[in-house]
Amino acid sequence: MPRRSLSLTIAAAICLTVGLLLTSNSSAVNKSAAKGVTFSKDIAPIFNKNCAECHRPGESAPFSTLNYKDVRPWAKSIKEKVANRTMPPWHADPHAGEFSNNRSLSQKEIDAIVAWVDGGAAEGNPKDLPPAPKFTEGWNINTPDVVIPIPEEYSYKAGADEYQYFDVPTNFTEDKYISMAEARPGNRKIVHHIIAFIVPPGQPNMGKMTADQRYKAMEAQLKNSPFYRDGFLMRMKPEQPVEDDGCAEGARRGGTDNLLVGYAPGRNADIYAPGTARKVPAGSSIRFQIHYSNQTLSGNAVEKDRSMVGLVFAKEPPQRLVTTNSIGNMFFKIPAGAENHRVTACRTLRRDTTLYGLEPHMHLRGKSMEYKAYYPDGKSEVLLSVSKYDFAWQTNYILKEPKRLPKGSRIMVTAYFDNSAKNKFNPDPTKDVRYGEPTYDEMMLGFVDYVTEMPPLAQVDPKVLDSYTGKYEVMPGIFANVTREGSSLFVTIPMRSRMEFYPTSDTQFALKNGDADLLIVKNDKGEVVEAVIGQTRAKRVKDATPSAGSGQ
C-alpha cells in the first residue's frame, strides 16, 4: 500500500475512533442530564402554569397534574402528546397576534418534559415542589355570587342530537354587572355546548310554555324563514340560494347577539378585563341553549343533566360594557368531496371599537379560520389565524393587549372546510353540507368580545318616535316589530334577541352597547317607508298602525 494511502487510512481510523468516543460521551452526558430532571423541581412548575386548569380533580381531563402519583402512570403518553404539540391544546398561529391565555409550551419546556420522561420520570425531592395553583372547587372563576341552574334535570336518550331551551329568571331587582362568568355542564357525556343568552324583561318566556307550546311557537317563527325544524334541530332549507362569499355587496349576514356566556369543549371561562363588565338588566331571564349529543351511548341509555351558569358581580359599575356578537355566514354550501372550501363573512364597524376576545366556531368539517382587520387608511392586519381548527378544543383567544379599531374598519372572517374523505372526522363526504345546528351540518361563526364607543343621545319628540313604530318586512314573510319605550325604540325579530336602539338624530338610532344602527327612511311626502336595521333593509308594512304612548 502506498505510504500516502496508509497515512490517510490511519488518520480516518483515528477520526472515527475519536468521533465514537465523543458520541458515547455526549450520550452519557445527555442521559446524566435527563436523570437530573425531576418532577418536583423542573416539571411541576410547567404543569401548574399550562396544564392544571383542566388537569385537576373535577375537571374534564383524565388525570391531575397537581401531584406526582397521578402523573407518573401517564409519563409516556405525556411525552408523546407534548412532543407533537397536541397538548396543551393551542391552535393560534404564533405569527399573528398575542394572547393572554396562551397555554402552549416553549421548546425549552417541551425539551425538559421529554428529558424527564427519557431519564425515568423521577419524582425528585418533594420539598422542591412549588405551591399548587389555587382554584375554586368546581369552577374556573372565583366563587360565584350567584349560580343559576336550569329549572330541573333534563333526560336525554342516546341517538339524535337535540337543542333544548330553558328560560330561568334571575330575580335581579337591580341591574347587575358581571366581571366573571362560566357555564358548567351537569353531564359532560351528553352536553356538547351551552350558550346562555340575556333575555330582557318583557320578552316571551319559554320557561312558562309546555314543550308542545315551545315547538309550535318555533314552527310558526320558522314558517317563512330560510330554516326548517328537524326534530329538535334547526337546519337550512336545501333550496335556499347559496352565498359562500358573505362579504359580497348585498350578501345576507348571519350572527348571534345578546350572549352572556358559553361552554364548549376546551373553552375557557369569561374573565373580563379590569374596568369592563357585562350588564344583566334588572328583571332579566337567562335563556339556556343546550346542545345534547352522544352517538356512543347504548340504544336504551338515558342520561340526566342539570347544567348551570355561575356569575361573579363587579364590585362597582364598570367604565365600559362588554358585548359578544358573531360575524357569520349562514347561507354557504360545502360541496360533497370538497377538500378546501372557502367561506367568508364581513362586518364594517360603524363606531370606534375595542376588541378583547376572538372565538372561531365551526363543526366537524371546519379546517381553519382567520380574522383580518382592514383599516380605513388602507392597511390590514391578521388578528387571529387558526390554521388547524379542532372541533374538540373551542378556545376563546383573549388578546394580550386589547385592539382598538377605528370607525370604518372592516373585519373579515375567512373559513375553510374539508368535506373530503381525507377528513377522518367527516360524517359523510358524499353529501353537500349547509348551515344547521347538528354537528353533522356546519356552522361558520367568528365570535367577538368587544366594547363600542357610543355616540351621544339625541332628544327626539315622543310623537316622532311613535310614528316609527309598527311592522317592517325584513324578508318575505318575516317581520320586525318596532315599539317605543321611553326614548328608545325596541326591535323584535323572530329567532333574534330583542334589540334596544336609542336616538342619535331624528331618524338615526344606535344599538345600545352594540355596533349596529337603525335608520328610518322617509319618502318625499315625509312618510316612513323603510327601516335599515344593521345591514338589512326592511320595508314598512302599509297597514301598520303606529303604537301610541309607550309602544307596548
Side-chain angles (χ1 to χ4, degrees):
M1 180 181 291
R3 183 174 299 177
R4 177 176 172 80
S5 298
L6 180 60
S7 299
L8 289 174
T9 302
I10 294 172
I14 293 171
C15 288
L16 178 61
T17 303
V18 171
L20 289 172
L21 288 172
L22 289 174
T23 302
S24 176
N25 289 338
S26 175
S27 177
V29 169
N30 288 338
K31 288 182 179 180
S32 177
K35 289 183 178 179
V37 180
T38 69
F39 174 82
S40 299
K41 185 177 180 180
D42 306 289
I43 305 306
I46 300 173
F47 287 170
N48 287 353
K49 178 172 67 76
N50 299 83
C51 309
E53 176 186 356
C54 297
H55 285 266
R56 59 187 175 95
E59 294 303 310
S60 58
F63 64 94
S64 170
T65 58
L66 295 178
N67 65 76
Y68 178 75
K69 181 181 177 181
D70 290 335
V71 168
R72 183 60 184 85
W74 294 85
K76 289 184 179 179
S77 176
I78 291 171
K79 174 189 170 181
E80 177 189 349
K81 298 298 184 182
V82 165
N84 64 22
R85 294 188 178 272
T86 301
M87 287 287 168
W90 185 256
H91 305 99
D93 184 338
H95 304 294
E98 292 186 72
F99 304 94
S100 62
N101 59 329
N102 186 346
R103 61 173 81 94
S104 65
L105 299 178
S106 68
Q107 189 59 52
K108 182 179 179 181
E109 290 170 326
I110 292 173
D111 291 343
I113 293 170
V114 170
W116 171 64
V117 177
D118 288 345
E123 179 180 13
N125 188 343
K127 292 182 179 180
D128 291 334
L129 273 174
K134 294 182 179 180
F135 297 100
T136 302
E137 186 176 352
W139 298 93
N140 289 300
I141 57 175
N142 295 345
T143 303
D145 291 304
V146 62
V147 175
I148 302 173
I150 61 175
E152 57 188 22
E153 281 189 332
Y154 180 75
S155 297
Y156 169 75
K157 186 177 180 180
D161 285 17
E162 294 182 14
Y163 267 60
Q164 294 293 342
Y165 292 83
F166 309 90
D167 282 7
V168 185
T170 61
N171 298 318
F172 293 163
T173 57
E174 61 182 5
D175 294 346
K176 294 291 187 181
Y177 298 96
I178 311 303
S179 63
M180 300 182 186
E182 183 177 356
R184 298 282 294 187
N187 186 340
R188 295 179 189 271
K189 287 193 291 185
I190 60 173
V191 175
H192 171 262
H193 80 242
I194 303 167
I195 299 179
F197 298 88
I198 302 168
V199 182
Q203 287 194 248
N205 189 331
M206 288 187 178
K208 296 181 180 179
M209 298 180 185
T210 65
D212 186 57
Q213 288 173 329
R214 287 199 303 270
Y215 187 87
K216 287 180 178 179
M218 298 187 81
E219 276 291 305
Q221 291 178 337
L222 290 171
K223 185 177 180 181
N224 296 304
S225 80
F227 305 100
Y228 72 97
R229 295 296 296 180
D230 181 8
F232 292 100
L233 304 165
M234 183 178 74
R235 306 178 72 185
M236 179 67 66
K237 293 174 181 175
E239 68 273 12
Q240 281 296 305
V242 176
E243 296 177 7
D244 288 333
D245 183 4
C247 300
E249 186 69 28
R252 293 173 290 179
R253 269 65 177 183
T256 53
D257 53 16
N258 231 21
L259 300 176
L260 172 61
V261 66
Y263 160 82
R267 191 188 189 279
N268 38 297
D270 288 339
I271 301 174
Y272 303 120
T276 68
R278 197 182 296 276
K279 180 181 177 180
V280 180
S284 294
S285 296
I286 304 302
R287 176 167 295 160
F288 288 79
Q289 177 202 81
I290 304 182
H291 179 185
Y292 292 106
S293 176
N294 195 324
Q295 309 299 320
T296 62
L297 296 174
S298 60
N300 295 317
V302 175
E303 292 281 343
K304 295 183 181 295
D305 167 67
R306 195 175 188 192
S307 294
M308 66 193 74
V309 163
L311 306 176
V312 175
F313 300 144
K315 295 181 180 178
E316 57 186 13
Q319 300 168 358
R320 316 174 88 190
L321 290 177
V322 176
T323 301
T324 299
N325 208 309
S326 63
I327 303 169
N329 184 334
M330 295 183 178
F331 299 96
F332 59 85
K333 182 169 79 172
I334 309 168
E339 188 176 340
N340 204 41
H341 187 72
R342 185 174 184 263
V343 178
T344 62
C346 285
R347 178 168 298 167
T348 299
L349 302 177
R350 293 174 171 82
R351 290 177 273 283
D352 293 345
T353 301
T354 302
L355 307 184
Y356 287 85
L358 307 169
E359 181 182 354
H361 178 72
M362 298 176 283
H363 287 173
L364 295 169
R365 297 170 178 87
K367 185 174 183 179
S368 67
M369 185 176 283
E370 176 191 84
Y371 291 68
K372 192 171 186 177
Y374 292 87
Y375 299 109
D377 62 4
K379 295 179 180 179
S380 63
E381 177 183 12
V382 176
L383 304 173
L384 169 68
S385 175
V386 175
S387 57
K388 293 183 180 180
Y389 175 80
D390 187 341
F391 181 63
W393 293 100
Q394 300 186 40
T395 303
N396 188 21
Y397 297 89
I398 307 302
L399 293 165
K400 192 171 184 178
E401 295 294 334
K403 176 68 67 174
R404 188 177 185 276
L405 275 58
K407 175 183 177 180
S409 299
R410 184 175 66 139
I411 301 175
M412 181 176 184
V413 178
T414 303
Y416 285 89
F417 295 88
D418 184 354
N419 194 20
S420 73
K422 294 179 182 179
N423 177 3
K424 65 180 181 180
F425 302 109
N426 193 348
D428 188 348
T430 67
K431 290 184 177 180
D432 295 342
V433 181
R434 302 215 63 173
Y435 180 95
E437 292 180 336
T439 53
Y440 43 83
D441 286 346
E442 267 302 335
M443 288 189 178
M444 189 279 195
L445 298 170
F447 288 98
V448 182
D449 295 336
Y450 64 94
V451 169
T452 298
E453 303 294 339
M454 301 304 297
L457 173 71
Q459 299 299 321
V460 179
D461 188 329
K463 293 182 180 179
V464 173
L465 297 176
D466 284 337
S467 72
Y468 301 155
T469 62
K471 287 187 176 181
Y472 296 78
E473 191 171 32
V474 295
M475 63 177 64
I478 302 295
F479 299 93
N481 191 40
V482 178
T483 59
R484 177 177 70 85
E485 294 180 20
S487 61
S488 293
L489 292 181
F490 284 80
V491 178
T492 305
I493 302 174
M495 306 302 294
R496 295 285 302 275
S497 298
R498 189 172 183 238
M499 297 174 282
E500 179 182 357
F501 292 87
Y502 70 87
T504 57
S505 73
D506 281 355
T507 57
Q508 289 187 309
F509 299 78
L511 178 64
K512 194 170 184 180
N513 301 312
D515 185 58
D517 286 329
L518 168 65
L519 173 65
I520 301 296
V521 180
K522 300 180 181 181
N523 61 18
D524 294 340
K525 298 178 182 179
E527 300 169 332
V528 177
V529 294
E530 189 177 54
V532 182
I533 308 166
Q535 297 177 334
T536 302
R537 307 187 76 90
K539 292 184 179 180
R540 188 170 191 181
V541 179
K542 291 182 178 180
D543 61 353
T545 303
S547 304
S550 69
Q552 296 285 339

